[in-house]
Amino acid sequence: MLLSELLKDWPCTILQGSIRRTIDGITESSKRVKKDYVFVAKKGVVSDGTTFIEEAISNGAKTLVIDRDNIDLTSIPVEVTVVLIPDSSLFISYGSAKFSDNPAEELLIIGVTGTNGKTTVSHFIGQLLKELGHKTAVIGTTGLYIDGKLTETIQNSMTTIPAEQFHPILRRCMEQQVTHIVLEASSIGLSTNRLAHCPLTVGVFLNIGMDHYAEHGGRQRYIDAKKLLIPLADQLVINEDDETCRVIGEGLSEPPIYFSRRHINGKQQPKVLLPNLGHHNEMNARAAIGALMALGYSLRAIKPHLHALRLPTGRLEKYEEAGVEVYVDYAHTPDALQAVLEALSESTKRLITVFGCGGERDREKRPQMGAVAAHYSSHVILTSDNPRTEEPSQIIVDILSGMVGFATPVEVFIDRHQAIRYAVTQAQPGEIILIAGKGHEQIQQIENQKMHFCDMEEVKKSFSYRNAKK
Ligand SMILES: CC(=O)N[C@H]1[C@@H](OP(=O)(O)OP(=O)(O)OC[C@H]2O[C@@H](n3ccc(=O)[nH]c3=O)[C@H](O)[C@@H]2O)O[C@H](CO)[C@@H](O)[C@@H]1O[C@H](C)C(=O)N[C@@H](C)C(=O)N[C@H](CCC(=O)O)C(=O)O
Ligand SMILES: Nc1ncnc2c1ncn2[C@@H]1O[C@H](COP(=O)(O)OP(=O)(O)OP(=O)(O)O)[C@@H](O)[C@H]1O
Ligand SMILES: N[C@H](CCC[C@H](N)C(=O)O)C(=O)O
């Protein structure tokens, strides 16, 4: 593609060089630059892309795109074109879409947002679309799935992929005859413009709870970020039982499709659709049905396919041995932990909960999760999630502050491996263990080190240890 073609419809000022040059790619990372690439120097949370210009040029960049007139042009070789645009993050989205020949415009795309349940609902929608004969890709935290099969893992397990990788993935999906895409729209993904050039046929609002307030600067900004989904979507599907979502729906110019505990799009639907998976997954199924109805399917056409719904990996994933039921689940917010504990406490069995909270994430979540765990569990084992650069014992102290006043016994094992092993070796037949927070994750991050760690593998290894000890 010619640089002039890429820039044709975008406001820009050419500070140096020619735009009549061929470009072979576009990236915001100096490390990913190859010969004849466009390097978009974006100011980020950690660093400023303009400090990597020299590296980008030595890796082959022939075009630099900047959004601040703060670089010394005399330091840039004359053969390198320098373009000034208003907003780097928006441009990286626009440029990546255009360089991939705007695949999003040729696909039917459904975007799902909310604090809890995005992955589950995206997979449910994907499963229903597949049943209805559409070749469908689901893109989100657990990877890229085409027709239910894991096809690509996503770097850093991101929920919403940065635009630079996202549009080429859409193009690859099209090359595999995919016609429908279901994607997760995280608040961070929306606020950093990762989906800015991704028109959606349907947008789904699931719920608004507590997560990522610290990154956004408070609850209202988090909600505002979620609301960026609205202008992207032709039609919206909204959880009427969630007050914040309902208020969002009331403010829309076009009436959305609502779902609730009682109805889906106005049709009374009181029956349980998914036995034994908890009220939250029942609501997730209703959201998925609402999305299909927004595409024009009737409830009657959808119902025969509901038997195909399966939870994604790491969501209430069950392992049973020696009469002990173990569930690995991705609950890492207060609402999620409550939802999953409510589901498990429907049985009268003793319930042992093993969990921690991630470092560098909302501190307010911690005491709330502690209180929820103490309320529903017979026994709580506190441990580390991904402490990142925080002191693990301080995270646990924060969780414990919410458990004051509960009689529930609590034990602490900073090492997650030891916590799981202890829970499994102590459990008696007839008891349930919930291991919450990391679900499908395959790594644990301590300081800046990422080590392989998988809760389900740890569960199985712990049973081998328990058996060997007998
Ligand atoms: C906090 C955050 O959102 N970070 C994202 C953001 O990084 P950033 O803009 O702050 O980048 P930076 O590290 O400051 O660097 C600034 C610029 O310099 C460039 N650079 C940097 C280093 C270098 O050597 N060369 C270079 O060119 C970078 O590519 C960037 O353009 O932009 C990057 C590129 O788009 C993302 O990869 C990165 O996500 C990181 C990996 C991340 O972990 N993000 C998480 C928090 C996230 O996005 N999570 C959400 C929500 C999950 C949920 O559902 O709960 C998600 O959608 O996954
Ligand atoms: N509708 C829901 N309401 C409350 N909790 C839910 C709901 N759906 C799922 N959960 C809980 O949230 C956890 C994560 O579910 P899921 O991965 O589907 O959500 P997500 O929004 O994609 O999460 P993230 O964006 O953080 O990856 C589940 O393991 C479950 O404990
Ligand atoms: N996408 C979420 C996942 C959190 C999962 C939990 N295991 C943690 O590390 O806090 C986040 O990055 O906040």
Short mmCIF file of all heavy atoms in Angstrom, two decimals, residues 27-33 39-53 55-56 92 114-115 118-119 141 155-165 184-190 192 194 211-212 215 226 330 332 361 450, ligand 1:
data_model
loop_
_atom_site.label_atom_id
_atom_site.label_comp_id
_atom_site.label_asym_id
_atom_site.label_seq_id
_atom_site.Cartn_x
_atom_site.Cartn_y
_atom_site.Cartn_z
N THR A 27 2.96 -0.28 12.86
CA THR A 27 3.08 -0.75 14.25
C THR A 27 3.36 0.40 15.19
O THR A 27 3.93 1.41 14.80
CB THR A 27 4.18 -1.83 14.38
OG1 THR A 27 4.25 -2.23 15.75
CG2 THR A 27 5.55 -1.34 13.94
N GLU A 28 2.95 0.18 16.46
CA GLU A 28 3.27 1.17 17.49
C GLU A 28 4.45 0.70 18.35
O GLU A 28 4.81 1.36 19.31
CB GLU A 28 2.06 1.43 18.38
CG GLU A 28 1.57 0.21 19.11
CD GLU A 28 0.56 0.54 20.18
OE1 GLU A 28 0.98 0.98 21.26
OE2 GLU A 28 -0.65 0.35 19.93
N SER A 29 5.03 -0.45 17.98
CA SER A 29 6.17 -0.95 18.77
C SER A 29 7.44 -0.95 17.95
O SER A 29 7.52 -1.60 16.90
CB SER A 29 5.88 -2.37 19.25
OG SER A 29 7.07 -2.94 19.73
N SER A 30 8.44 -0.25 18.45
CA SER A 30 9.73 -0.20 17.74
C SER A 30 10.29 -1.61 17.56
O SER A 30 10.98 -1.90 16.60
CB SER A 30 10.73 0.65 18.54
OG SER A 30 10.84 0.14 19.85
N LYS A 31 9.96 -2.51 18.51
CA LYS A 31 10.47 -3.89 18.45
C LYS A 31 9.85 -4.67 17.29
O LYS A 31 10.43 -5.63 16.80
CB LYS A 31 10.15 -4.64 19.76
CG LYS A 31 10.65 -3.97 21.02
CD LYS A 31 12.11 -4.30 21.28
CE LYS A 31 12.64 -3.71 22.57
NZ LYS A 31 12.68 -2.25 22.67
N ARG A 32 8.64 -4.30 16.89
CA ARG A 32 7.96 -5.05 15.81
C ARG A 32 8.17 -4.43 14.43
O ARG A 32 7.69 -4.95 13.43
CB ARG A 32 6.46 -5.16 16.10
CG ARG A 32 6.13 -6.10 17.24
CD ARG A 32 4.66 -6.42 17.30
NE ARG A 32 3.85 -5.29 17.70
CZ ARG A 32 3.54 -4.99 18.96
NH1 ARG A 32 3.96 -5.75 19.95
NH2 ARG A 32 2.81 -3.93 19.23
N VAL A 33 8.90 -3.32 14.38
CA VAL A 33 9.12 -2.65 13.09
C VAL A 33 9.95 -3.54 12.17
O VAL A 33 10.91 -4.19 12.60
CB VAL A 33 9.86 -1.30 13.30
CG1 VAL A 33 10.38 -0.76 11.98
CG2 VAL A 33 8.95 -0.29 13.97
N PHE A 39 6.02 3.55 11.75
CA PHE A 39 6.09 3.47 13.22
C PHE A 39 5.27 4.61 13.80
O PHE A 39 5.54 5.78 13.55
CB PHE A 39 7.55 3.56 13.69
CG PHE A 39 7.69 3.63 15.19
CD1 PHE A 39 7.19 2.60 15.99
CD2 PHE A 39 8.30 4.72 15.81
CE1 PHE A 39 7.31 2.67 17.39
CE2 PHE A 39 8.42 4.79 17.20
CZ PHE A 39 7.93 3.76 17.99
N VAL A 40 4.24 4.24 14.58
CA VAL A 40 3.40 5.25 15.24
C VAL A 40 3.92 5.40 16.67
O VAL A 40 3.83 4.47 17.48
CB VAL A 40 1.92 4.83 15.25
CG1 VAL A 40 1.06 5.92 15.86
CG2 VAL A 40 1.43 4.48 13.84
N ALA A 41 4.50 6.57 16.96
CA ALA A 41 5.11 6.78 18.29
C ALA A 41 4.05 7.30 19.25
O ALA A 41 3.73 8.48 19.26
CB ALA A 41 6.28 7.76 18.17
N LYS A 42 3.53 6.37 20.07
CA LYS A 42 2.40 6.69 20.97
C LYS A 42 2.92 6.95 22.38
O LYS A 42 3.82 6.27 22.84
CB LYS A 42 1.45 5.49 20.97
CG LYS A 42 0.15 5.70 21.67
CD LYS A 42 -0.65 4.40 21.72
CE LYS A 42 -0.34 3.62 22.98
NZ LYS A 42 -1.10 2.39 23.12
N LYS A 43 2.30 7.91 23.05
CA LYS A 43 2.65 8.10 24.46
C LYS A 43 1.82 7.12 25.28
O LYS A 43 0.59 7.10 25.16
CB LYS A 43 2.34 9.55 24.88
CG LYS A 43 2.78 9.85 26.29
CD LYS A 43 2.88 11.34 26.53
CE LYS A 43 3.09 11.70 27.99
NZ LYS A 43 3.93 10.80 28.78
N GLY A 44 2.50 6.28 26.06
CA GLY A 44 1.77 5.26 26.81
C GLY A 44 1.73 5.53 28.29
O GLY A 44 2.10 6.62 28.74
N VAL A 45 1.29 4.53 29.02
CA VAL A 45 1.19 4.66 30.48
C VAL A 45 2.59 4.54 31.08
O VAL A 45 2.95 5.25 32.02
CB VAL A 45 0.29 3.52 31.05
CG1 VAL A 45 0.19 3.59 32.56
CG2 VAL A 45 -1.09 3.54 30.41
N VAL A 46 3.40 3.66 30.51
CA VAL A 46 4.73 3.39 31.06
C VAL A 46 5.80 4.25 30.38
O VAL A 46 6.66 4.82 31.02
CB VAL A 46 5.10 1.89 30.89
CG1 VAL A 46 6.43 1.57 31.53
CG2 VAL A 46 3.99 1.02 31.46
N SER A 47 5.75 4.32 29.04
CA SER A 47 6.80 5.06 28.34
C SER A 47 6.22 5.84 27.17
O SER A 47 5.02 5.79 26.89
CB SER A 47 7.89 4.09 27.87
OG SER A 47 7.29 3.01 27.19
N ASP A 48 7.12 6.56 26.48
CA ASP A 48 6.71 7.39 25.35
C ASP A 48 7.37 6.83 24.09
O ASP A 48 8.61 6.72 24.03
CB ASP A 48 7.17 8.83 25.62
CG ASP A 48 6.63 9.80 24.58
OD1 ASP A 48 6.35 9.35 23.44
OD2 ASP A 48 6.50 10.99 24.89
N GLY A 49 6.53 6.45 23.12
CA GLY A 49 7.04 5.86 21.89
C GLY A 49 8.09 6.71 21.19
O GLY A 49 8.95 6.17 20.48
N THR A 50 8.06 8.02 21.40
CA THR A 50 9.05 8.87 20.70
C THR A 50 10.48 8.56 21.15
O THR A 50 11.43 8.84 20.44
CB THR A 50 8.76 10.38 20.90
OG1 THR A 50 8.68 10.66 22.28
CG2 THR A 50 7.46 10.80 20.21
N THR A 51 10.61 7.95 22.37
CA THR A 51 11.98 7.61 22.81
C THR A 51 12.54 6.40 22.08
O THR A 51 13.71 6.05 22.24
CB THR A 51 12.03 7.35 24.35
OG1 THR A 51 11.07 6.33 24.64
CG2 THR A 51 11.71 8.59 25.16
N PHE A 52 11.68 5.73 21.28
CA PHE A 52 12.14 4.53 20.56
C PHE A 52 12.28 4.77 19.05
O PHE A 52 12.41 3.83 18.28
CB PHE A 52 11.19 3.36 20.82
CG PHE A 52 11.01 3.08 22.28
CD1 PHE A 52 9.86 3.47 22.95
CD2 PHE A 52 12.01 2.44 23.00
CE1 PHE A 52 9.71 3.22 24.31
CE2 PHE A 52 11.86 2.18 24.36
CZ PHE A 52 10.70 2.59 25.02
N ILE A 53 12.26 6.05 18.66
CA ILE A 53 12.31 6.37 17.23
C ILE A 53 13.60 5.84 16.58
O ILE A 53 13.57 5.25 15.49
CB ILE A 53 12.15 7.90 17.02
CG1 ILE A 53 10.68 8.29 17.29
CG2 ILE A 53 12.59 8.33 15.62
CD1 ILE A 53 10.38 9.78 17.21
N GLU A 55 15.46 3.35 17.42
CA GLU A 55 15.39 1.89 17.26
C GLU A 55 14.46 1.53 16.09
O GLU A 55 14.76 0.65 15.29
CB GLU A 55 14.87 1.25 18.56
CG GLU A 55 14.80 -0.25 18.47
CD GLU A 55 14.31 -0.89 19.77
OE1 GLU A 55 13.30 -0.43 20.33
OE2 GLU A 55 14.94 -1.86 20.20
N ALA A 56 13.34 2.24 16.01
CA ALA A 56 12.37 1.96 14.93
C ALA A 56 13.03 2.18 13.57
O ALA A 56 12.88 1.37 12.64
CB ALA A 56 11.14 2.84 15.08
N ILE A 92 -3.60 4.57 15.14
CA ILE A 92 -3.13 3.18 15.03
C ILE A 92 -4.32 2.26 14.73
O ILE A 92 -4.22 1.30 13.96
CB ILE A 92 -2.32 2.72 16.28
CG1 ILE A 92 -1.58 1.41 16.01
CG2 ILE A 92 -3.15 2.53 17.51
CD1 ILE A 92 -0.31 1.58 15.31
N GLY A 114 -19.09 -5.59 29.86
CA GLY A 114 -19.63 -5.83 31.19
C GLY A 114 -18.48 -6.17 32.11
O GLY A 114 -17.38 -6.47 31.64
N THR A 115 -18.73 -6.15 33.41
CA THR A 115 -17.65 -6.45 34.34
C THR A 115 -17.39 -7.96 34.39
O THR A 115 -16.25 -8.41 34.35
CB THR A 115 -18.00 -5.94 35.76
OG1 THR A 115 -18.34 -4.56 35.66
CG2 THR A 115 -16.84 -6.11 36.73
N LYS A 118 -18.09 -11.66 30.19
CA LYS A 118 -17.85 -11.38 28.75
C LYS A 118 -17.39 -12.64 28.02
O LYS A 118 -17.90 -12.96 26.94
CB LYS A 118 -16.78 -10.28 28.58
CG LYS A 118 -17.19 -8.92 29.12
CD LYS A 118 -16.12 -7.88 28.90
CE LYS A 118 -14.86 -8.10 29.68
NZ LYS A 118 -15.00 -8.05 31.16
N THR A 119 -16.41 -13.34 28.62
CA THR A 119 -15.89 -14.54 27.94
C THR A 119 -17.00 -15.57 27.79
O THR A 119 -17.18 -16.16 26.72
CB THR A 119 -14.71 -15.14 28.74
OG1 THR A 119 -13.75 -14.11 28.98
CG2 THR A 119 -14.05 -16.27 27.99
N THR A 141 -10.35 -13.25 26.05
CA THR A 141 -9.35 -13.59 27.07
C THR A 141 -8.76 -14.99 26.90
O THR A 141 -7.58 -15.20 27.18
CB THR A 141 -9.99 -13.51 28.48
OG1 THR A 141 -10.83 -12.35 28.52
CG2 THR A 141 -8.97 -13.43 29.56
N GLN A 155 -1.52 -12.90 22.83
CA GLN A 155 -0.41 -12.46 23.66
C GLN A 155 -0.92 -11.81 24.95
O GLN A 155 -1.86 -10.99 24.90
CB GLN A 155 0.40 -11.44 22.86
CG GLN A 155 1.83 -11.37 23.30
CD GLN A 155 2.52 -10.18 22.66
OE1 GLN A 155 1.95 -9.46 21.85
NE2 GLN A 155 3.75 -9.97 23.04
N ASN A 156 -0.35 -12.14 26.06
CA ASN A 156 -0.73 -11.62 27.38
C ASN A 156 -2.17 -11.92 27.76
O ASN A 156 -2.74 -11.26 28.63
CB ASN A 156 -0.55 -10.08 27.46
CG ASN A 156 0.89 -9.67 27.36
OD1 ASN A 156 1.75 -10.38 27.85
ND2 ASN A 156 1.15 -8.55 26.73
N SER A 157 -2.81 -12.88 27.10
CA SER A 157 -4.22 -13.23 27.39
C SER A 157 -5.10 -11.99 27.41
O SER A 157 -5.94 -11.82 28.29
CB SER A 157 -4.33 -13.89 28.77
OG SER A 157 -4.03 -15.22 28.69
N MET A 158 -4.90 -11.09 26.45
CA MET A 158 -5.67 -9.85 26.52
C MET A 158 -7.13 -10.10 26.18
O MET A 158 -7.46 -10.96 25.38
CB MET A 158 -5.07 -8.81 25.58
CG MET A 158 -3.70 -8.41 26.07
SD MET A 158 -3.01 -7.07 25.17
CE MET A 158 -3.55 -5.71 26.18
N THR A 159 -7.99 -9.33 26.79
CA THR A 159 -9.44 -9.47 26.57
C THR A 159 -9.81 -8.82 25.23
O THR A 159 -10.52 -9.42 24.41
CB THR A 159 -10.19 -8.81 27.74
OG1 THR A 159 -9.84 -9.50 28.93
CG2 THR A 159 -11.69 -8.85 27.55
N THR A 160 -9.37 -7.60 25.05
CA THR A 160 -9.59 -6.90 23.77
C THR A 160 -8.22 -6.65 23.16
O THR A 160 -7.38 -5.95 23.75
CB THR A 160 -10.33 -5.57 24.01
OG1 THR A 160 -11.53 -5.86 24.73
CG2 THR A 160 -10.68 -4.88 22.70
N ILE A 161 -8.00 -7.22 22.00
CA ILE A 161 -6.66 -7.17 21.41
C ILE A 161 -6.37 -5.78 20.85
O ILE A 161 -7.23 -5.18 20.20
CB ILE A 161 -6.55 -8.18 20.25
CG1 ILE A 161 -7.20 -9.50 20.63
CG2 ILE A 161 -5.12 -8.41 19.81
CD1 ILE A 161 -7.37 -10.42 19.45
N PRO A 162 -5.16 -5.27 21.05
CA PRO A 162 -4.80 -4.00 20.43
C PRO A 162 -5.07 -4.01 18.91
O PRO A 162 -4.89 -5.04 18.25
CB PRO A 162 -3.31 -3.87 20.73
CG PRO A 162 -3.13 -4.64 22.01
CD PRO A 162 -4.09 -5.79 21.91
N ALA A 163 -5.52 -2.87 18.41
CA ALA A 163 -5.97 -2.76 17.01
C ALA A 163 -4.94 -3.31 16.02
O ALA A 163 -5.30 -3.94 15.01
CB ALA A 163 -6.26 -1.30 16.70
N GLU A 164 -3.68 -3.08 16.32
CA GLU A 164 -2.61 -3.50 15.41
C GLU A 164 -2.63 -5.01 15.14
O GLU A 164 -2.33 -5.46 14.04
CB GLU A 164 -1.30 -3.07 16.05
CG GLU A 164 -0.09 -3.45 15.29
CD GLU A 164 1.18 -3.05 16.05
OE1 GLU A 164 1.19 -2.03 16.77
OE2 GLU A 164 2.16 -3.78 15.92
N GLN A 165 -2.97 -5.79 16.19
CA GLN A 165 -3.08 -7.25 15.98
C GLN A 165 -4.50 -7.66 15.59
O GLN A 165 -4.70 -8.66 14.90
CB GLN A 165 -2.71 -8.00 17.27
CG GLN A 165 -1.23 -8.07 17.56
CD GLN A 165 -0.79 -7.02 18.59
OE1 GLN A 165 -1.49 -6.76 19.54
NE2 GLN A 165 0.36 -6.41 18.36
N GLU A 184 -14.89 -9.74 22.90
CA GLU A 184 -15.06 -9.12 24.21
C GLU A 184 -14.53 -7.69 24.15
O GLU A 184 -13.42 -7.47 23.65
CB GLU A 184 -14.24 -9.89 25.25
CG GLU A 184 -14.69 -11.31 25.45
CD GLU A 184 -13.85 -12.00 26.51
OE1 GLU A 184 -13.61 -11.41 27.58
OE2 GLU A 184 -13.43 -13.14 26.25
N ALA A 185 -15.34 -6.76 24.65
CA ALA A 185 -14.92 -5.37 24.66
C ALA A 185 -14.66 -4.96 26.11
O ALA A 185 -15.59 -4.73 26.88
CB ALA A 185 -16.01 -4.49 24.04
N SER A 186 -13.38 -4.90 26.49
CA SER A 186 -13.05 -4.50 27.87
C SER A 186 -13.09 -2.99 27.97
O SER A 186 -12.95 -2.28 26.96
CB SER A 186 -11.66 -5.01 28.24
OG SER A 186 -10.67 -4.34 27.48
N SER A 187 -13.24 -2.49 29.19
CA SER A 187 -13.27 -1.03 29.37
C SER A 187 -11.94 -0.41 28.92
O SER A 187 -11.92 0.64 28.29
CB SER A 187 -13.53 -0.70 30.84
OG SER A 187 -12.57 -1.34 31.66
N ILE A 188 -10.84 -1.12 29.23
CA ILE A 188 -9.52 -0.58 28.84
C ILE A 188 -9.38 -0.63 27.31
O ILE A 188 -8.89 0.32 26.70
CB ILE A 188 -8.39 -1.38 29.53
CG1 ILE A 188 -8.48 -1.16 31.04
CG2 ILE A 188 -7.02 -0.98 29.01
CD1 ILE A 188 -7.49 -1.98 31.87
N GLY A 189 -9.86 -1.71 26.72
CA GLY A 189 -9.81 -1.82 25.26
C GLY A 189 -10.60 -0.70 24.60
O GLY A 189 -10.15 -0.09 23.62
N LEU A 190 -11.78 -0.41 25.15
CA LEU A 190 -12.62 0.65 24.55
C LEU A 190 -11.97 2.01 24.75
O LEU A 190 -11.89 2.81 23.81
CB LEU A 190 -14.02 0.63 25.18
CG LEU A 190 -14.91 -0.54 24.76
CD1 LEU A 190 -16.07 -0.74 25.72
CD2 LEU A 190 -15.45 -0.33 23.33
N THR A 192 -8.92 2.80 25.12
CA THR A 192 -7.66 3.01 24.39
C THR A 192 -7.85 2.83 22.88
O THR A 192 -6.88 2.61 22.15
CB THR A 192 -6.54 2.08 24.91
OG1 THR A 192 -7.01 0.73 24.83
CG2 THR A 192 -6.16 2.38 26.35
N ARG A 194 -8.98 0.53 20.97
CA ARG A 194 -8.66 -0.71 20.25
C ARG A 194 -9.78 -1.11 19.28
O ARG A 194 -9.53 -1.81 18.31
CB ARG A 194 -8.40 -1.85 21.24
CG ARG A 194 -7.14 -1.65 22.06
CD ARG A 194 -6.92 -2.78 23.06
NE ARG A 194 -6.04 -2.31 24.11
CZ ARG A 194 -5.90 -2.90 25.29
NH1 ARG A 194 -6.57 -4.01 25.57
NH2 ARG A 194 -5.09 -2.41 26.20
N ASP A 211 -14.34 -3.30 39.05
CA ASP A 211 -13.09 -3.77 38.45
C ASP A 211 -12.47 -2.59 37.71
O ASP A 211 -13.20 -1.77 37.14
CB ASP A 211 -13.37 -4.94 37.48
CG ASP A 211 -12.20 -5.92 37.38
OD1 ASP A 211 -11.23 -5.76 38.14
OD2 ASP A 211 -12.29 -6.85 36.56
N HIS A 212 -11.19 -2.53 37.69
CA HIS A 212 -10.46 -1.53 36.89
C HIS A 212 -10.81 -0.08 37.22
O HIS A 212 -10.56 0.79 36.39
CB HIS A 212 -10.70 -1.77 35.38
CG HIS A 212 -10.26 -3.11 34.92
ND1 HIS A 212 -8.96 -3.54 35.03
CD2 HIS A 212 -10.94 -4.13 34.37
CE1 HIS A 212 -8.87 -4.78 34.56
NE2 HIS A 212 -10.07 -5.17 34.16
N GLU A 215 -7.46 1.88 37.28
CA GLU A 215 -6.87 2.22 35.98
C GLU A 215 -7.62 3.39 35.31
O GLU A 215 -7.02 4.22 34.65
CB GLU A 215 -6.90 1.02 35.02
CG GLU A 215 -5.93 -0.11 35.38
CD GLU A 215 -6.63 -1.28 36.02
OE1 GLU A 215 -7.44 -1.06 36.96
OE2 GLU A 215 -6.38 -2.43 35.61
N LYS A 226 -17.06 1.98 29.26
CA LYS A 226 -17.96 0.92 28.76
C LYS A 226 -18.94 1.50 27.74
O LYS A 226 -19.28 0.85 26.74
CB LYS A 226 -18.77 0.31 29.91
CG LYS A 226 -17.94 -0.45 30.92
CD LYS A 226 -17.81 -1.90 30.50
CE LYS A 226 -16.98 -2.72 31.44
NZ LYS A 226 -16.22 -3.77 30.79
N TYR A 330 -12.76 -18.43 37.36
CA TYR A 330 -12.03 -17.17 37.09
C TYR A 330 -12.59 -15.99 37.89
O TYR A 330 -12.32 -14.83 37.55
CB TYR A 330 -12.11 -16.87 35.60
CG TYR A 330 -11.06 -15.89 35.09
CD1 TYR A 330 -9.74 -15.95 35.52
CD2 TYR A 330 -11.40 -14.92 34.16
CE1 TYR A 330 -8.79 -15.06 35.04
CE2 TYR A 330 -10.45 -14.03 33.66
CZ TYR A 330 -9.15 -14.11 34.12
OH TYR A 330 -8.20 -13.24 33.64
N HIS A 332 -12.69 -13.04 39.90
CA HIS A 332 -11.67 -12.15 40.46
C HIS A 332 -12.24 -10.77 40.76
O HIS A 332 -11.52 -9.78 40.83
CB HIS A 332 -10.45 -12.05 39.52
CG HIS A 332 -10.81 -11.63 38.13
ND1 HIS A 332 -11.03 -12.54 37.12
CD2 HIS A 332 -11.00 -10.42 37.58
CE1 HIS A 332 -11.34 -11.88 36.01
NE2 HIS A 332 -11.33 -10.59 36.28
N ARG A 361 -4.15 -3.95 41.04
CA ARG A 361 -5.55 -3.85 40.65
C ARG A 361 -6.31 -3.26 41.84
O ARG A 361 -5.81 -3.31 42.96
CB ARG A 361 -6.14 -5.23 40.28
CG ARG A 361 -5.45 -5.91 39.09
CD ARG A 361 -5.75 -5.20 37.79
NE ARG A 361 -5.18 -5.90 36.64
CZ ARG A 361 -3.96 -5.69 36.14
NH1 ARG A 361 -3.15 -4.82 36.69
NH2 ARG A 361 -3.56 -6.36 35.07
N LYS A 450 7.19 -13.88 35.06
CA LYS A 450 5.98 -14.65 34.75
C LYS A 450 6.37 -16.12 34.70
O LYS A 450 7.18 -16.52 33.88
CB LYS A 450 5.41 -14.20 33.40
CG LYS A 450 4.87 -12.78 33.46
CD LYS A 450 4.28 -12.35 32.14
CE LYS A 450 3.72 -10.94 32.25
NZ LYS A 450 3.21 -10.42 30.99
C1 LIG B 1 -2.09 -0.47 30.74
C2 LIG B 1 -2.34 -0.72 29.31
O1 LIG B 1 -3.44 -0.69 28.85
N1 LIG B 1 -1.26 -1.00 28.58
C3 LIG B 1 -1.42 -1.26 27.17
C4 LIG B 1 -0.86 -0.08 26.39
O2 LIG B 1 0.46 0.09 26.79
P1 LIG B 1 1.02 1.57 26.85
O3 LIG B 1 0.38 2.41 25.81
O4 LIG B 1 0.94 2.07 28.22
O5 LIG B 1 2.47 1.29 26.38
P2 LIG B 1 3.86 1.71 27.04
O6 LIG B 1 4.44 0.44 27.54
O7 LIG B 1 3.75 2.87 27.95
O8 LIG B 1 4.65 2.17 25.76
C5 LIG B 1 4.29 3.36 25.03
C6 LIG B 1 4.50 3.14 23.58
O9 LIG B 1 5.88 2.83 23.37
C7 LIG B 1 5.97 1.70 22.55
N2 LIG B 1 7.23 1.02 22.86
C8 LIG B 1 7.48 0.57 24.12
C9 LIG B 1 8.67 -0.11 24.39
C10 LIG B 1 9.60 -0.31 23.35
O10 LIG B 1 10.67 -0.89 23.51
N3 LIG B 1 9.30 0.18 22.12
C11 LIG B 1 8.14 0.83 21.85
O11 LIG B 1 7.91 1.23 20.72
C12 LIG B 1 4.75 0.86 22.91
O12 LIG B 1 4.42 -0.05 21.87
C13 LIG B 1 3.69 1.94 23.09
O13 LIG B 1 3.11 2.27 21.87
O14 LIG B 1 -0.89 -0.33 25.00
C14 LIG B 1 -0.21 -1.53 24.61
C15 LIG B 1 -0.35 -1.67 23.11
O15 LIG B 1 -1.65 -1.42 22.69
C16 LIG B 1 -0.83 -2.74 25.31
O16 LIG B 1 -0.16 -3.92 24.94
C17 LIG B 1 -0.74 -2.53 26.80
O17 LIG B 1 -1.44 -3.58 27.44
C18 LIG B 1 -0.78 -4.30 28.43
C19 LIG B 1 -0.02 -5.50 27.85
C20 LIG B 1 -1.81 -4.85 29.41
O18 LIG B 1 -1.53 -5.72 30.19
N4 LIG B 1 -2.97 -4.34 29.42
C21 LIG B 1 -4.03 -4.80 30.29
C22 LIG B 1 -4.11 -3.98 31.57
C23 LIG B 1 -5.31 -4.69 29.54
O19 LIG B 1 -5.39 -4.05 28.50
N5 LIG B 1 -6.34 -5.31 30.05
C24 LIG B 1 -7.64 -5.23 29.44
C25 LIG B 1 -8.74 -5.57 30.42
C26 LIG B 1 -8.83 -7.00 30.86
C27 LIG B 1 -10.14 -7.33 31.56
O20 LIG B 1 -11.12 -7.70 30.91
O21 LIG B 1 -10.22 -7.26 32.78
C28 LIG B 1 -7.68 -6.12 28.19
O22 LIG B 1 -8.51 -5.82 27.32
O23 LIG B 1 -6.93 -7.09 28.12
#
